[in-house]
């Protein structure tokens, strides 16, 4: 069974490639050619012709789309990229077995504490630009699945951690600030809020979930991919300090004086647990150590 992994140069894409290994039937689609151990196809999801060329050459049975951007005004969106992919697949006529799209828990938007853990049936009420983009991306996926018969499934990914994660996220930011504080280049650490709660899991576990959806027989269109546990930024920092060997906590300033909106801070993962037997395997402390070690290098 031939698999084409798109966005293979990204954080989640690299994790998926690692899980799949160096198999002859795994192809990677990327805008760079850093993958010497695998069959690499040039794919830019903003260029439908490059998608068509890769599909014609590989003729994949499975497509796992890990490509994505942090949505900002005036730049191409995740909706546009996924739309190009799905329309090109439809035009190709290739009998693809499954197309997995990386969605996001940001699509849920604000969720009341009483409604946690958030279930896939919960309404999508995103307010952020990124969240709204992911809702629109899902809408396209539903259209192509239910109107045109493409086997599209969306993984609503919560908050993946691990080496190589984007540096603007809280964990690598705190690890980097901690190194600066340790060396005397910083007096205090800064975070947005200590009371904000998120559902964290390893990027490796996310990759395993994507592969389960890709090679299984999903009954639904969308599946939550999370740990099912919520942890506050404050508790996350305490773990970082302990694992870094600090007996006392460095001083921390909160940048926002008001609490963040109550996001989807804990996933209901019953569906993917029950259908595929998937559950997180990597301990949170192990993911934190990956980022700590990477930052120290």
């Amino acid at each position: 069974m031939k698999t084409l992994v798109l966005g293979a140069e990204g954080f989640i894409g690299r994790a998926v490639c690692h899980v799949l290994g160096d198999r002859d039937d795994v192809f990677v689609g990327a805008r760079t050619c850093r993958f010497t151990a695998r069959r690499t196809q040039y794919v830019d999801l903003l260029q439908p012709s490059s998608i068509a060329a890769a599909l014609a050459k590989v003729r994949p049975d499975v497509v796992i789309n890990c490509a994505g951007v942090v949505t900002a005004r005036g730049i191409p969106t995740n909706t546009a990229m996924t739309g190009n992919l799905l329309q090109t697949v439809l035009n190709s006529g290739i009998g693809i077995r499954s197309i997995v799209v990386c969605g996001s828990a940001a699509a849920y938007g604000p969720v009341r504490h009483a409604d946690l853990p958030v279930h896939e049936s919960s309404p999508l009420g995103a307010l952020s630009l990124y969240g709204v983009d992911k809702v629109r991306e899902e809408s396209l996926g539903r259209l192509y699945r239910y109107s045109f018969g493409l086997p599209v499934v969306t993984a609503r990914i919560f908050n993946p951690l691990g080496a190589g994660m984007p540096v603007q996220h809280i964990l690598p930011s705190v690890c980097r600030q901690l190194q600066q504080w340790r060396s005397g280049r910083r007096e205090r650490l800064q975070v947005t809020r200590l009371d904000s709660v998120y559902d964290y899991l390893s990027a490796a576990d996310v990759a395993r979930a994507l592969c389960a959806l890709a090679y299984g027989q999903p009954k639904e269109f969308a599946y939550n991919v999370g740990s099912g546990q919520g942890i506050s930024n404050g508790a996350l920092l305490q773990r970082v300090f302990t694992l870094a060997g600090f007996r006392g906590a460095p001083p921390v300033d909160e940048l926002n004086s008001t609490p963040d909106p109550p996001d989807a801070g804990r996933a209901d993962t019953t569906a993917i647990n029950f259908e595929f037997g998937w559950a997180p395997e990597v301990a949170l402390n192990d993911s934190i150590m990956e980022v700590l070690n990477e930052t120290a290098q």
Side-chain angles (χ1 to χ4, degrees):
M1 185 181 300
K2 293 181 180 178
T3 301
L4 177 61
V5 182
L6 301 176
E9 74 272 33
F11 176 43
I12 298 300
R14 291 195 302 270
V16 170
C17 290
H18 181 75
V19 167
L20 292 175
D22 294 322
R23 293 165 20 192
D24 288 341
D25 59 351
V26 175
F27 297 77
V28 298
R31 290 179 297 176
T32 58
C33 296
R34 296 184 294 106
F35 297 89
T36 57
R38 297 183 178 87
R39 303 180 181 184
T40 304
Q41 304 295 314
Y42 171 77
V43 177
D44 183 342
L45 291 181
L46 296 176
Q47 298 178 359
S49 60
S50 73
I51 305 171
L55 291 175
K57 186 171 184 179
V58 176
R59 299 192 68 83
D61 302 289
V62 172
V63 176
I64 304 176
N65 180 24
C66 303
V69 295
V70 178
T71 311
R73 298 189 187 280
I75 68 170
T77 64
N78 297 289
T79 304
M81 293 192 296
T82 295
N84 287 340
L85 170 63
L86 298 181
Q87 184 59 47
T88 306
V89 170
L90 186 65
N91 293 343
S92 74
I94 298 172
I96 292 180
R97 182 178 183 274
S98 65
I99 305 169
V100 180
V101 176
C102 288
S104 172
Y108 288 115
V111 178
R112 299 180 308 166
H113 182 75
D115 295 328
L116 295 176
V118 63
H119 187 269
E120 288 91 347
S121 62
S122 299
L124 303 182
L127 298 178
S128 69
L129 197 62
Y130 176 70
V132 170
D133 185 19
K134 300 305 282 187
V135 172
R136 290 172 176 166
E137 182 183 38
E138 280 202 24
S139 296
L140 268 182
R142 289 181 185 277
L143 173 68
Y144 280 88
R145 177 184 174 105
Y146 296 112
S147 295
F148 301 120
L150 290 187
V152 183
V153 61
T154 293
R156 290 183 188 151
I157 301 170
F158 277 65
N159 299 275
L161 302 177
M165 68 182 297
V167 296
Q168 68 269 25
H169 291 190
I170 183 171
L171 181 56
S173 173
V174 166
C175 292
R176 186 174 62 253
Q177 291 181 59
L178 195 58
Q179 292 292 331
Q180 296 168 349
W181 182 81
R182 191 197 298 259
S183 64
R185 292 177 290 151
R186 174 183 286 272
E187 293 184 359
R188 307 178 69 86
L189 278 59
Q190 294 181 326
V191 298
T192 52
R193 292 284 303 185
L194 292 172
D195 56 0
S196 297
V197 175
Y198 298 97
D199 184 327
Y200 293 107
L201 76 164
S202 165
D205 283 327
V206 172
R208 289 177 44 250
L210 296 177
C211 292
L213 295 175
Y215 302 120
Q217 295 181 326
K219 298 177 182 178
E220 306 297 336
F221 168 74
Y223 292 83
N224 287 337
V225 177
S227 70
Q229 304 295 322
I231 182 171
S232 69
N233 285 343
L236 181 69
L237 262 63
Q238 289 302 318
R239 286 183 182 240
V240 173
F241 299 154
T242 299
L243 292 169
F246 289 92
R247 293 186 177 180
V252 178
D253 291 333
E254 293 182 291
L255 298 178
N256 293 346
S257 59
T258 57
D260 294 331
D263 288 329
R266 186 156 56 97
D268 183 332
T269 59
T270 303
I272 194 169
N273 296 157
F274 179 76
E275 282 191 44
F276 301 96
W278 175 90
E281 296 180 354
V282 181
L284 177 58
N285 283 359
D286 291 341
S287 296
I288 293 172
M289 283 302 304
E290 282 187 28
V291 181
L292 271 170
N293 291 335
E294 182 181 50
T295 307
Q297 293 176 1

